[in-house]
Amino acid sequence: MALWKRLWQNDFGPFIGCLIHARLYRSKVDLSKLRPMILKRIESRAKEYPVRGMVPVAQEVLKARSVLFHGVSTLLKVFPIMACKFCPEVYIGEKGHLIQTCHGYKRRAKNRVHEWIRGGVNDILVPVETFHLQNMFQDVIKHHQRFDFDRVPAVVELCLQAGAYPNDENLYSSSTIECVHAGIEGADSFSPHEQMMVANRTFKAWEMLRSGVLKLLLVYPAKVCKYCSEVHVGPSGHKARLCGVFKYESWRGGHFWKKAEVDDLVPPKIVWRRRPQDPPVLLDAHRDFYGHAPAVVDLCAQAGVILPTKYNCAMKVQGLSGPVQFKV
């Protein structure tokens, strides 16, 4: 009370009066009448979708996705891929590298040498699945409803909501995509020119897929969890308590949603890239000198594709293979 009187005596009285008036100000809008209008506006938003101008983009994305899987499956019959047994690391080549970046199962270890096994298509084109919605503005999926909805590839779900009509093979689960896109028979006997043609077609499909998904995400909302790899295509995320399951954690909680980007729906899967000036097996001592590239890009480059200059910085094309030795 003493502080109040002191402020009032020190010519702060009018200012305090304005604060009290602002605090007691009340809007004359009746929220009970405004709520039905808001709900009706949300329901009518479904009439604005799909956007007609984005339907051809969605069709091109589905076509590029099919060409991409088919081309990668074909190239893997010529260029082997190695995957680590205990972590997501991937390397394209006959033998894996010796760079000590393995963190083990459940991230219980770090800075270990990888244990390499033969990889497949899903090691390069990482499967990203989401719930298939009948309507983009349908009710939020509850935890007990998680088994009532099919799981489809996130890119396919995005194209479906954009008005595309996919083929049957695009509706397959990502885990069985290797069986659907088996590649071309006899690809191991292709000439270098034929391999380069397949790689050029695959690289163009990769670029078209990512650019098309970027355009669709500017129109259609998609969410990704802040702490795991779960993706939801729609204006709001679902309520299934699955956070942590996809990262091999022991707890299950609700997701923390944020806006999804292209890399969330189409992961680039960055790999170490061996350049002509590098040793046959990449060594851990010179890891700071080696370049990186998306797995699809590195695969196509090994088949003879001339890559755009935007990849030169990450790939360190003109970089050294190790520290320079000066002779005295």
Side-chain angles (χ1 to χ4, degrees):
M1 183 63 68
L3 180 61
W4 179 273
K5 290 182 179 180
R6 189 179 302 174
L7 291 174
W8 191 272
Q9 293 174 0
N10 294 337
D11 297 333
F12 283 97
F15 178 71
I16 297 175
C18 293
L19 289 178
I20 296 175
H21 177 72
R23 184 175 182 180
L24 297 178
Y25 175 76
R26 183 178 179 181
S27 177
K28 296 181 180 180
V29 178
D30 190 357
L31 295 179
S32 62
K33 296 181 180 179
L34 188 61
R35 179 179 175 81
M37 299 173 58
I38 296 176
L39 294 177
K40 185 177 180 180
R41 179 70 181 92
I42 294 175
E43 293 177 357
S44 62
R45 286 181 62 188
K47 300 178 182 179
E48 302 175 2
Y49 293 91
V51 180
R52 293 184 179 179
M54 300 304 295
V55 175
V57 178
Q59 293 285 7
E60 290 180 0
V61 168
L62 282 181
K63 182 179 178 180
R65 179 178 179 272
S66 180
V67 173
L68 176 63
F69 275 99
H70 191 269
V72 170
S73 302
T74 303
L75 292 176
L76 287 185
K77 295 182 178 181
V78 183
F79 302 93
I81 175 176
M82 308 302 293
C84 182
K85 186 177 180 180
F86 299 108
C87 76
E89 183 81 6
V90 170
Y91 183 76
I92 300 176
E94 290 287 348
K95 297 180 180 179
H97 57 72
L98 297 179
I99 303 175
Q100 300 177 8
T101 53
C102 182
H103 50 69
Y105 181 69
K106 287 190 176 181
R107 291 187 175 269
R108 292 180 177 176
K110 70 178 183 179
N111 298 334
R112 302 195 319 177
V113 179
H114 297 277
E115 184 174 339
W116 299 105
I117 59 175
R118 184 69 67 174
V121 177
N122 286 343
D123 295 309
I124 293 184
L125 303 174
V126 182
V128 179
E129 294 185 345
T130 184
F131 286 112
H132 175 50
L133 306 181
Q134 300 297 331
N135 182 11
M136 184 171 62
F137 295 99
Q138 70 182 41
D139 295 336
V140 178
I141 301 175
K142 305 297 183 182
H143 181 69
H144 66 276
Q145 298 175 329
R146 63 190 185 279
F147 298 115
D148 299 335
F149 296 86
D150 296 331
R151 301 279 293 184
V152 299
V155 175
V156 175
E157 176 64 17
L158 181 64
C159 295
L160 284 174
Q161 295 188 14
Y165 298 95
N167 300 325
D168 293 337
E169 63 179 15
N170 287 319
L171 293 178
Y172 276 87
S173 173
S174 297
S175 60
T176 60
I177 202 69
E178 296 188 32
C179 298
V180 178
H181 302 276
I184 301 176
E185 294 294 337
D188 51 351
S189 61
F190 279 2
S191 64
H193 178 69
E194 293 173 329
Q195 294 176 10
M196 188 175 64
M197 290 180 59
V198 175
N200 272 317
R201 187 163 57 248
T202 304
F203 180 75
K204 290 180 181 179
W206 168 258
E207 293 287 310
M208 186 179 299
L209 174 66
R210 290 183 58 87
S211 62
V213 170
L214 177 61
K215 295 177 183 177
L216 293 177
L217 289 179
L218 295 176
V219 180
Y220 295 90
K223 305 292 182 180
V224 63
C225 182
K226 185 178 179 180
Y227 300 110
C228 73
S229 58
E230 175 71 356
V231 171
H232 183 79
V233 181
S236 60
H238 58 75
K239 298 295 183 181
R241 298 188 297 271
L242 300 173
C243 189
V245 177
F246 304 98
K247 288 291 184 181
Y248 309 104
E249 300 287 348
S250 59
W251 56 277
R252 298 186 181 185
H255 296 284
F256 295 85
W257 300 106
K258 66 176 184 179
K259 182 180 179 182
E261 305 293 340
V262 178
D263 289 348
D264 299 315
L265 275 71
V266 188
K269 194 66 175 185
I270 304 299
V271 299
W272 295 92
R273 183 174 185 272
R274 181 183 175 275
R275 304 160 300 176
Q277 64 267 33
D278 292 330
V281 179
L282 302 183
L283 304 176
D284 184 70
H286 303 161
R287 59 190 294 181
D288 294 335
F289 296 88
Y290 303 141
H292 297 82
V296 175
V297 175
D298 188 19
L299 180 65
C300 295
Q302 293 192 24
V305 174
I306 300 177
L307 302 177
T309 56
K310 65 179 181 179
Y311 293 104
N312 289 349
C313 181
M315 295 168 59
K316 301 180 181 179
V317 178
Q318 302 297 334
L320 299 175
S321 60
V324 181
Q325 298 289 340
F326 292 99
K327 296 183 179 179
V328 179

